[in-house]
Amino acid sequence: MAHMITWLLLLLVWVAAGWAAWPRTELLNICMNAKHHKEKPGPEDKLHEQCSPWRKKACCSVNTSLEAHKDISYLYRFNWDHCGKMEPSCKRHFIQDTCLYECSPNLGPWIQEVNQSWRKERILNVPLCKEDCETWWNDCRTSYTCKTNWHKGWNWSSGYNQCPVDAVCHRFDFYFPTPADLCNEIWSHSYKLPLQEEKDMPWKLTPRVLFLAWMASMCSARARTDLLNVCMDAKHHKVKPGPEDKLHDQCIPWKKNACCTASVSQELHKDISLLYNFNLDHCGKMEPTCKRHFIQDNCLYECSPNLGPWIQEVNQSWRKERFLNVPLCKEDCESWWEDCRTSYTCKTNWQKGWNWTSGSNRCPAGATCSTFESYFPTPTALCEGVWSHSYKVSNYSRGSGRCIQMWFDTAQGNPNEEVARFYALDMNAGAMPQGIGPCLLSLALMLSLAP
């Protein structure tokens, strides 16, 4: 009986795999579609030094491994010593990181499609072992840098990366106060340091338990089956969206169907509201035209019921969910940046790292107040960086039905409803057929009970 059920389970797994979001049917032993990667992994007996662990099966060539060890290689013209000589013990970690990225054939489950000139795929949220992250941070904390996100925002006018104008060189532990800050942020979430409960989980699992874990992951990400017309599980959000006729000023577009209350919308327009005690004027008075964008951003966050496709679970005291990589219309981002470039701030990531001893956010010790454009050299740097990748700047324009508008004219209806519907349908197209999940769980239970 158990033997028959096992084969039924394997058959259903095969069927489910055909509906997976990742277009490849095989996630093991593959190379990314990126600038210096081989098409298929294979032996490379002469891989250099830190890349040698992959010599039996590698996605990199010998030449790539040699270049990965140079201070400025032809691979990407990236200079580790952009704020003075990096400590050798620190640089060793970055070389190992480069070798893993270029050489490993074991990153398939975390490969994502991207639209970049130098690569069509990248890795995202690879679960990095905590010891690897901690030693990386400890060995680098006394070296110097000028940015938290090394993927973008550099000055490339010399042919290699230099600090953007007005960026200040500080120790790593200034820009990255914790190991998680370094490992999660430096390459735009290529890595993810597991949460404590994930780190403590006993991973010596039997094949049956592993199979059950796989089935659970097929139902993960978001428990709700409906991605449309939903509110986040967060501090000030309503449980369900509904009409709110008295929403204030910039929050008015959502009055017909909102996840926020009238009182929340009032607080969003205050310089320091009771919602989060966040002070937009932390580096002097922010220009009204700039502040208007941040209020609209807050209204979208608190009030919109159209962000379901981008809601992710988080483990934070003040919220259980956040949104990630919402495709923001390019004009909304550009006007936000243009109107804020002459205002002042002291940080690139506003979601963390503040001094809260006064009860509201203040610049951390040693941080320098400079214009927005010194911390955010481009519109993309602002929109994607300021709230830890809540937004991803879209190539689409307002009215296209493919990007979220931060604000809109209520007389024309809510354009974000169509956008959410499009992306929800796109996500559902990559999901399992309805009914397979419960069937798999039922069969797994039968298997566990079988002799």
PDB file of all heavy atoms in Angstrom, residues 420-447:
ATOM      1  N   ALA A 420      -3.308  45.321 -10.429  1.00  0.00           N
ATOM      2  CA  ALA A 420      -3.290  44.197  -9.484  1.00  0.00           C
ATOM      3  C   ALA A 420      -3.900  42.951 -10.121  1.00  0.00           C
ATOM      4  O   ALA A 420      -3.398  41.837  -9.937  1.00  0.00           O
ATOM      5  CB  ALA A 420      -4.044  44.571  -8.216  1.00  0.00           C
ATOM      6  N   ARG A 421      -4.978  43.140 -10.873  1.00  0.00           N
ATOM      7  CA  ARG A 421      -5.642  42.008 -11.532  1.00  0.00           C
ATOM      8  C   ARG A 421      -4.705  41.339 -12.538  1.00  0.00           C
ATOM      9  O   ARG A 421      -4.606  40.109 -12.616  1.00  0.00           O
ATOM     10  CB  ARG A 421      -6.926  42.479 -12.219  1.00  0.00           C
ATOM     11  CG  ARG A 421      -7.811  41.343 -12.731  1.00  0.00           C
ATOM     12  CD  ARG A 421      -9.116  41.883 -13.320  1.00  0.00           C
ATOM     13  NE  ARG A 421      -9.870  42.647 -12.330  1.00  0.00           N
ATOM     14  CZ  ARG A 421     -10.052  43.971 -12.383  1.00  0.00           C
ATOM     15  NH1 ARG A 421      -9.524  44.670 -13.366  1.00  0.00           N
ATOM     16  NH2 ARG A 421     -10.738  44.592 -11.444  1.00  0.00           N
ATOM     17  N   PHE A 422      -3.982  42.163 -13.305  1.00  0.00           N
ATOM     18  CA  PHE A 422      -3.053  41.620 -14.300  1.00  0.00           C
ATOM     19  C   PHE A 422      -1.978  40.756 -13.641  1.00  0.00           C
ATOM     20  O   PHE A 422      -1.702  39.632 -14.069  1.00  0.00           O
ATOM     21  CB  PHE A 422      -2.400  42.758 -15.086  1.00  0.00           C
ATOM     22  CG  PHE A 422      -1.275  42.321 -15.977  1.00  0.00           C
ATOM     23  CD1 PHE A 422      -1.534  41.771 -17.226  1.00  0.00           C
ATOM     24  CD2 PHE A 422       0.053  42.433 -15.566  1.00  0.00           C
ATOM     25  CE1 PHE A 422      -0.497  41.345 -18.047  1.00  0.00           C
ATOM     26  CE2 PHE A 422       1.095  42.012 -16.378  1.00  0.00           C
ATOM     27  CZ  PHE A 422       0.811  41.467 -17.620  1.00  0.00           C
ATOM     28  N   TYR A 423      -1.346  41.291 -12.575  1.00  0.00           N
ATOM     29  CA  TYR A 423      -0.252  40.554 -11.944  1.00  0.00           C
ATOM     30  C   TYR A 423      -0.753  39.355 -11.145  1.00  0.00           C
ATOM     31  O   TYR A 423      -0.057  38.334 -11.044  1.00  0.00           O
ATOM     32  CB  TYR A 423       0.571  41.491 -11.057  1.00  0.00           C
ATOM     33  CG  TYR A 423       1.464  42.406 -11.876  1.00  0.00           C
ATOM     34  CD1 TYR A 423       1.073  43.712 -12.170  1.00  0.00           C
ATOM     35  CD2 TYR A 423       2.677  41.960 -12.364  1.00  0.00           C
ATOM     36  CE1 TYR A 423       1.884  44.550 -12.930  1.00  0.00           C
ATOM     37  CE2 TYR A 423       3.495  42.781 -13.122  1.00  0.00           C
ATOM     38  CZ  TYR A 423       3.092  44.075 -13.408  1.00  0.00           C
ATOM     39  OH  TYR A 423       3.890  44.892 -14.174  1.00  0.00           O
ATOM     40  N   ALA A 424      -1.960  39.464 -10.590  1.00  0.00           N
ATOM     41  CA  ALA A 424      -2.534  38.319  -9.881  1.00  0.00           C
ATOM     42  C   ALA A 424      -2.798  37.164 -10.847  1.00  0.00           C
ATOM     43  O   ALA A 424      -2.506  36.002 -10.550  1.00  0.00           O
ATOM     44  CB  ALA A 424      -3.820  38.729  -9.176  1.00  0.00           C
ATOM     45  N   LEU A 425      -3.343  37.486 -12.011  1.00  0.00           N
ATOM     46  CA  LEU A 425      -3.587  36.454 -13.021  1.00  0.00           C
ATOM     47  C   LEU A 425      -2.286  35.844 -13.503  1.00  0.00           C
ATOM     48  O   LEU A 425      -2.177  34.642 -13.721  1.00  0.00           O
ATOM     49  CB  LEU A 425      -4.371  37.047 -14.199  1.00  0.00           C
ATOM     50  CG  LEU A 425      -5.836  37.397 -13.940  1.00  0.00           C
ATOM     51  CD1 LEU A 425      -6.426  38.140 -15.134  1.00  0.00           C
ATOM     52  CD2 LEU A 425      -6.649  36.140 -13.654  1.00  0.00           C
ATOM     53  N   ASP A 426      -1.267  36.686 -13.647  1.00  0.00           N
ATOM     54  CA  ASP A 426       0.040  36.202 -14.082  1.00  0.00           C
ATOM     55  C   ASP A 426       0.634  35.246 -13.058  1.00  0.00           C
ATOM     56  O   ASP A 426       1.212  34.217 -13.407  1.00  0.00           O
ATOM     57  CB  ASP A 426       0.967  37.395 -14.299  1.00  0.00           C
ATOM     58  CG  ASP A 426       2.304  36.978 -14.878  1.00  0.00           C
ATOM     59  OD1 ASP A 426       2.311  36.361 -15.953  1.00  0.00           O
ATOM     60  OD2 ASP A 426       3.339  37.260 -14.250  1.00  0.00           O
ATOM     61  N   MET A 427       0.456  35.575 -11.773  1.00  0.00           N
ATOM     62  CA  MET A 427       0.971  34.698 -10.715  1.00  0.00           C
ATOM     63  C   MET A 427       0.192  33.397 -10.644  1.00  0.00           C
ATOM     64  O   MET A 427       0.757  32.324 -10.480  1.00  0.00           O
ATOM     65  CB  MET A 427       0.905  35.417  -9.365  1.00  0.00           C
ATOM     66  CG  MET A 427       1.890  36.543  -9.239  1.00  0.00           C
ATOM     67  SD  MET A 427       1.727  37.411  -7.672  1.00  0.00           S
ATOM     68  CE  MET A 427       3.011  38.657  -7.854  1.00  0.00           C
ATOM     69  N   ASN A 428      -1.111  33.502 -10.785  1.00  0.00           N
ATOM     70  CA  ASN A 428      -1.943  32.301 -10.730  1.00  0.00           C
ATOM     71  C   ASN A 428      -1.664  31.364 -11.902  1.00  0.00           C
ATOM     72  O   ASN A 428      -1.810  30.158 -11.788  1.00  0.00           O
ATOM     73  CB  ASN A 428      -3.426  32.674 -10.715  1.00  0.00           C
ATOM     74  CG  ASN A 428      -3.847  33.258  -9.386  1.00  0.00           C
ATOM     75  OD1 ASN A 428      -3.239  32.988  -8.361  1.00  0.00           O
ATOM     76  ND2 ASN A 428      -4.882  34.083  -9.394  1.00  0.00           N
ATOM     77  N   ALA A 429      -1.244  31.946 -13.021  1.00  0.00           N
ATOM     78  CA  ALA A 429      -0.932  31.113 -14.184  1.00  0.00           C
ATOM     79  C   ALA A 429       0.253  30.208 -13.909  1.00  0.00           C
ATOM     80  O   ALA A 429       0.390  29.127 -14.490  1.00  0.00           O
ATOM     81  CB  ALA A 429      -0.635  31.988 -15.392  1.00  0.00           C
ATOM     82  N   GLY A 430       1.124  30.627 -12.973  1.00  0.00           N
ATOM     83  CA  GLY A 430       2.281  29.806 -12.635  1.00  0.00           C
ATOM     84  C   GLY A 430       2.066  28.909 -11.438  1.00  0.00           C
ATOM     85  O   GLY A 430       2.969  28.203 -11.037  1.00  0.00           O
ATOM     86  N   ALA A 431       0.867  28.950 -10.865  1.00  0.00           N
ATOM     87  CA  ALA A 431       0.605  28.155  -9.665  1.00  0.00           C
ATOM     88  C   ALA A 431       0.091  26.775 -10.028  1.00  0.00           C
ATOM     89  O   ALA A 431      -0.207  26.465 -11.167  1.00  0.00           O
ATOM     90  CB  ALA A 431      -0.408  28.882  -8.786  1.00  0.00           C
ATOM     91  N   MET A 432      -0.053  25.903  -9.025  1.00  0.00           N
ATOM     92  CA  MET A 432      -0.580  24.558  -9.248  1.00  0.00           C
ATOM     93  C   MET A 432      -2.058  24.618  -9.615  1.00  0.00           C
ATOM     94  O   MET A 432      -2.765  25.531  -9.201  1.00  0.00           O
ATOM     95  CB  MET A 432      -0.450  23.726  -7.972  1.00  0.00           C
ATOM     96  CG  MET A 432       0.946  23.334  -7.607  1.00  0.00           C
ATOM     97  SD  MET A 432       0.920  22.180  -6.235  1.00  0.00           S
ATOM     98  CE  MET A 432       0.106  23.131  -4.988  1.00  0.00           C
ATOM     99  N   PRO A 433      -2.581  23.643 -10.352  1.00  0.00           N
ATOM    100  CA  PRO A 433      -4.016  23.567 -10.569  1.00  0.00           C
ATOM    101  C   PRO A 433      -4.743  23.429  -9.248  1.00  0.00           C
ATOM    102  O   PRO A 433      -4.247  22.793  -8.327  1.00  0.00           O
ATOM    103  CB  PRO A 433      -4.182  22.283 -11.414  1.00  0.00           C
ATOM    104  CG  PRO A 433      -2.816  21.990 -11.951  1.00  0.00           C
ATOM    105  CD  PRO A 433      -1.839  22.545 -10.982  1.00  0.00           C
ATOM    106  N   GLN A 434      -5.901  24.050  -9.171  1.00  0.00           N
ATOM    107  CA  GLN A 434      -6.673  24.015  -7.931  1.00  0.00           C
ATOM    108  C   GLN A 434      -6.998  22.576  -7.539  1.00  0.00           C
ATOM    109  O   GLN A 434      -7.418  21.779  -8.358  1.00  0.00           O
ATOM    110  CB  GLN A 434      -7.963  24.820  -8.098  1.00  0.00           C
ATOM    111  CG  GLN A 434      -8.738  24.979  -6.801  1.00  0.00           C
ATOM    112  CD  GLN A 434      -9.934  25.872  -6.990  1.00  0.00           C
ATOM    113  OE1 GLN A 434     -10.227  26.324  -8.086  1.00  0.00           O
ATOM    114  NE2 GLN A 434     -10.655  26.126  -5.906  1.00  0.00           N
ATOM    115  N   GLY A 435      -6.758  22.223  -6.289  1.00  0.00           N
ATOM    116  CA  GLY A 435      -7.106  20.893  -5.800  1.00  0.00           C
ATOM    117  C   GLY A 435      -5.922  19.973  -5.632  1.00  0.00           C
ATOM    118  O   GLY A 435      -5.978  19.004  -4.893  1.00  0.00           O
ATOM    119  N   ILE A 436      -4.793  20.253  -6.322  1.00  0.00           N
ATOM    120  CA  ILE A 436      -3.646  19.361  -6.209  1.00  0.00           C
ATOM    121  C   ILE A 436      -3.010  19.460  -4.831  1.00  0.00           C
ATOM    122  O   ILE A 436      -2.589  18.471  -4.249  1.00  0.00           O
ATOM    123  CB  ILE A 436      -2.612  19.654  -7.321  1.00  0.00           C
ATOM    124  CG1 ILE A 436      -3.073  18.991  -8.611  1.00  0.00           C
ATOM    125  CG2 ILE A 436      -1.234  19.153  -6.943  1.00  0.00           C
ATOM    126  CD1 ILE A 436      -2.044  18.993  -9.702  1.00  0.00           C
ATOM    127  N   GLY A 437      -2.942  20.699  -4.280  1.00  0.00           N
ATOM    128  CA  GLY A 437      -2.356  20.873  -2.951  1.00  0.00           C
ATOM    129  C   GLY A 437      -3.027  20.019  -1.898  1.00  0.00           C
ATOM    130  O   GLY A 437      -2.370  19.226  -1.215  1.00  0.00           O
ATOM    131  N   PRO A 438      -4.362  20.153  -1.708  1.00  0.00           N
ATOM    132  CA  PRO A 438      -5.041  19.304  -0.729  1.00  0.00           C
ATOM    133  C   PRO A 438      -4.870  17.823  -1.002  1.00  0.00           C
ATOM    134  O   PRO A 438      -4.743  17.014  -0.081  1.00  0.00           O
ATOM    135  CB  PRO A 438      -6.507  19.729  -0.853  1.00  0.00           C
ATOM    136  CG  PRO A 438      -6.440  21.125  -1.371  1.00  0.00           C
ATOM    137  CD  PRO A 438      -5.265  21.153  -2.288  1.00  0.00           C
ATOM    138  N   CYS A 439      -4.845  17.460  -2.287  1.00  0.00           N
ATOM    139  CA  CYS A 439      -4.687  16.041  -2.639  1.00  0.00           C
ATOM    140  C   CYS A 439      -3.325  15.530  -2.190  1.00  0.00           C
ATOM    141  O   CYS A 439      -3.198  14.445  -1.631  1.00  0.00           O
ATOM    142  CB  CYS A 439      -4.845  15.872  -4.150  1.00  0.00           C
ATOM    143  SG  CYS A 439      -4.716  14.171  -4.716  1.00  0.00           S
ATOM    144  N   LEU A 440      -2.280  16.339  -2.433  1.00  0.00           N
ATOM    145  CA  LEU A 440      -0.954  15.943  -2.006  1.00  0.00           C
ATOM    146  C   LEU A 440      -0.881  15.768  -0.492  1.00  0.00           C
ATOM    147  O   LEU A 440      -0.294  14.805   0.006  1.00  0.00           O
ATOM    148  CB  LEU A 440       0.065  16.998  -2.442  1.00  0.00           C
ATOM    149  CG  LEU A 440       0.454  17.013  -3.930  1.00  0.00           C
ATOM    150  CD1 LEU A 440       1.251  18.268  -4.231  1.00  0.00           C
ATOM    151  CD2 LEU A 440       1.264  15.787  -4.285  1.00  0.00           C
ATOM    152  N   LEU A 441      -1.481  16.704   0.231  1.00  0.00           N
ATOM    153  CA  LEU A 441      -1.451  16.621   1.690  1.00  0.00           C
ATOM    154  C   LEU A 441      -2.193  15.385   2.186  1.00  0.00           C
ATOM    155  O   LEU A 441      -1.758  14.714   3.123  1.00  0.00           O
ATOM    156  CB  LEU A 441      -2.042  17.892   2.299  1.00  0.00           C
ATOM    157  CG  LEU A 441      -1.180  19.151   2.120  1.00  0.00           C
ATOM    158  CD1 LEU A 441      -1.945  20.375   2.597  1.00  0.00           C
ATOM    159  CD2 LEU A 441       0.118  19.029   2.890  1.00  0.00           C
ATOM    160  N   SER A 442      -3.306  15.089   1.566  1.00  0.00           N
ATOM    161  CA  SER A 442      -4.074  13.909   1.963  1.00  0.00           C
ATOM    162  C   SER A 442      -3.273  12.632   1.736  1.00  0.00           C
ATOM    163  O   SER A 442      -3.231  11.745   2.580  1.00  0.00           O
ATOM    164  CB  SER A 442      -5.394  13.851   1.176  1.00  0.00           C
ATOM    165  OG  SER A 442      -6.184  14.981   1.457  1.00  0.00           O
ATOM    166  N   LEU A 443      -2.637  12.558   0.571  1.00  0.00           N
ATOM    167  CA  LEU A 443      -1.859  11.365   0.266  1.00  0.00           C
ATOM    168  C   LEU A 443      -0.645  11.250   1.192  1.00  0.00           C
ATOM    169  O   LEU A 443      -0.252  10.159   1.579  1.00  0.00           O
ATOM    170  CB  LEU A 443      -1.402  11.400  -1.193  1.00  0.00           C
ATOM    171  CG  LEU A 443      -2.497  11.085  -2.216  1.00  0.00           C
ATOM    172  CD1 LEU A 443      -1.985  11.338  -3.612  1.00  0.00           C
ATOM    173  CD2 LEU A 443      -2.970   9.644  -2.082  1.00  0.00           C
ATOM    174  N   ALA A 444      -0.046  12.427   1.527  1.00  0.00           N
ATOM    175  CA  ALA A 444       1.085  12.396   2.456  1.00  0.00           C
ATOM    176  C   ALA A 444       0.662  11.853   3.811  1.00  0.00           C
ATOM    177  O   ALA A 444       1.399  11.108   4.458  1.00  0.00           O
ATOM    178  CB  ALA A 444       1.667  13.801   2.604  1.00  0.00           C
ATOM    179  N   LEU A 445      -0.529  12.236   4.256  1.00  0.00           N
ATOM    180  CA  LEU A 445      -1.041  11.731   5.522  1.00  0.00           C
ATOM    181  C   LEU A 445      -1.240  10.221   5.453  1.00  0.00           C
ATOM    182  O   LEU A 445      -0.896   9.489   6.373  1.00  0.00           O
ATOM    183  CB  LEU A 445      -2.352  12.444   5.886  1.00  0.00           C
ATOM    184  CG  LEU A 445      -3.028  12.012   7.186  1.00  0.00           C
ATOM    185  CD1 LEU A 445      -2.090  12.263   8.353  1.00  0.00           C
ATOM    186  CD2 LEU A 445      -4.357  12.727   7.382  1.00  0.00           C
ATOM    187  N   MET A 446      -1.798   9.745   4.339  1.00  0.00           N
ATOM    188  CA  MET A 446      -1.970   8.300   4.148  1.00  0.00           C
ATOM    189  C   MET A 446      -0.616   7.595   4.190  1.00  0.00           C
ATOM    190  O   MET A 446      -0.491   6.512   4.782  1.00  0.00           O
ATOM    191  CB  MET A 446      -2.666   8.033   2.814  1.00  0.00           C
ATOM    192  CG  MET A 446      -4.123   8.505   2.773  1.00  0.00           C
ATOM    193  SD  MET A 446      -4.809   8.387   1.110  1.00  0.00           S
ATOM    194  CE  MET A 446      -4.722   6.630   0.843  1.00  0.00           C
ATOM    195  N   LEU A 447       0.384   8.219   3.557  1.00  0.00           N
ATOM    196  CA  LEU A 447       1.696   7.610   3.530  1.00  0.00           C
ATOM    197  C   LEU A 447       2.285   7.489   4.934  1.00  0.00           C
ATOM    198  O   LEU A 447       2.895   6.462   5.288  1.00  0.00           O
ATOM    199  CB  LEU A 447       2.633   8.459   2.650  1.00  0.00           C
ATOM    200  CG  LEU A 447       4.081   7.981   2.524  1.00  0.00           C
ATOM    201  CD1 LEU A 447       4.155   6.580   1.981  1.00  0.00           C
ATOM    202  CD2 LEU A 447       4.870   8.948   1.658  1.00  0.00           C
TER     203      LEU A 447
END
